[in-house]
Amino acid sequence: MTRLLFMGPPGAGKGTQATLLAEKLGIPQISTGDIFRANVSEGTELGVLAKAYMDKGEYVPDEVTNAMVRDRLGQDDARNGFLLDGYPRTVDQVHTLDGILDELGESLDAVVELVVEREELITRLLKRAETSGRTDDTEDVIRHRQEVYEAQTSPLLAVYADRGLLVKVDGFGDIDEVQNRILAALPQAG
């Protein structure tokens, strides 16, 4: 059983690595974005509630996000493990996740943080903005997003480091190199 949490700044390749690792380990990748989209498209009570906030361009409140995560982690395909991507984002959500996992009689095996130097991240994101035609991804906006990520996630990383769960992995290099580093760093695989 593998229960992982993936963290990393915008541009670190977190989504790509999470997808590959989940496939390799045969566990579902659970991202809050996917959960929101699934609940909205299925018209669930939580989805209707989330859509009302999303349509106004507002953040979906923690209570709604937490309820969706609780529901998703309780589904059959997550019983033998999962890879959480994009949740938790706050220390309060860390404690909520602890409670959800306690209810399920489970705990996290590791928290993987992809580490990439800020200037490399900015270069990657500027290149991505150029190729995708995203004019809103200016260097100032990208730098601000990096600062926001660091400010919001450093308290979470500290919590998981204190628990001995944090595994830092160098996210610089090609996709296979980084994937191999992640696999080598995981407690079960190392």
Side-chain angles (χ1 to χ4, degrees), residues 87-101:
Y87 180 93
R89 289 191 188 268
T90 65
V91 172
D92 283 346
Q93 287 181 348
V94 168
H95 299 305
T96 299
L97 177 60
D98 290 343
I100 293 168
L101 293 173

Side-chain angles (χ1 to χ4, degrees), residues 51 56 94 102 117 138 158:
K51 187 176 184 324
K56 290 187 251 177
V94 168
D102 282 347
E117 289 181 12
T138 64

Side-chain angles (χ1 to χ4, degrees), residues 5-6 14 18 28-40 46-47 50 54 59-62 64-70 72-73 83-90 93 97 100:
L5 171 58
F6 247 52
K14 182 173 54 78
Q29 174 189 2
I30 299 174
S31 85
T32 47
D34 291 344
I35 294 171
F36 288 157
R37 285 185 286 281
N39 275 274
V40 168
L46 289 170
M54 292 160 62
Y59 283 118
V60 177
D62 275 1
V64 178
T65 303
N66 294 338
M68 286 184 181
V69 170
R70 173 178 279 109
R72 181 64 186 92
L73 290 177
L83 192 155
L84 269 175
D85 173 10
Y87 180 93
R89 289 191 188 268
T90 65
Q93 287 181 348
L97 177 60
I100 293 168

Side-chain angles (χ1 to χ4, degrees), residues 3-20:
R3 292 176 180 81
L4 303 172
L5 171 58
F6 247 52
M7 300 183 81
K14 182 173 54 78
T16 299
Q17 292 297 335
T19 300
L20 290 170

Side-chain angles (χ1 to χ4, degrees), residues 48-174:
V48 170
L49 193 53
K51 187 176 184 324
Y53 289 97
M54 292 160 62
D55 285 349
K56 290 187 251 177
E58 297 174 4
Y59 283 118
V60 177
D62 275 1
E63 315 83 76
V64 178
T65 303
N66 294 338
M68 286 184 181
V69 170
R70 173 178 279 109
D71 176 67
R72 181 64 186 92
L73 290 177
Q75 293 176 13
D76 287 344
D77 68 335
R79 290 212 176 130
N80 292 322
F82 53 80
L83 192 155
L84 269 175
D85 173 10
Y87 180 93
R89 289 191 188 268
T90 65
V91 172
D92 283 346
Q93 287 181 348
V94 168
H95 299 305
T96 299
L97 177 60
D98 290 343
I100 293 168
L101 293 173
D102 282 347
E103 288 170 21
L104 297 170
E106 299 171 354
S107 61
L108 290 173
D109 295 308
V111 176
V112 176
E113 178 193 12
L114 282 182
V115 180
V116 180
E117 289 181 12
R118 184 185 285 199
E119 292 309 311
E120 171 62 21
L121 293 169
I122 291 165
T123 301
R124 284 184 188 181
L125 291 170
L126 285 172
K127 199 173 290 181
R128 185 169 80 186
E130 210 174 88
T131 59
S132 68
R134 288 188 56 173
T135 54
D136 59 327
D137 270 351
T138 64
E139 186 169 341
D140 287 344
V141 169
I142 291 168
R143 285 187 185 281
H144 178 69
R145 268 197 236 127
Q146 299 298 328
E147 290 164 8
V148 168
Y149 172 81
E150 288 168 15
Q152 289 179 346
T153 57
S154 57
L156 279 66
L157 296 171
V159 167
Y160 288 122
D162 287 347
R163 295 179 185 179
L165 291 173
L166 188 62
V167 177
K168 291 179 178 267
V169 176
D170 180 1
F172 185 76
D174 72 34

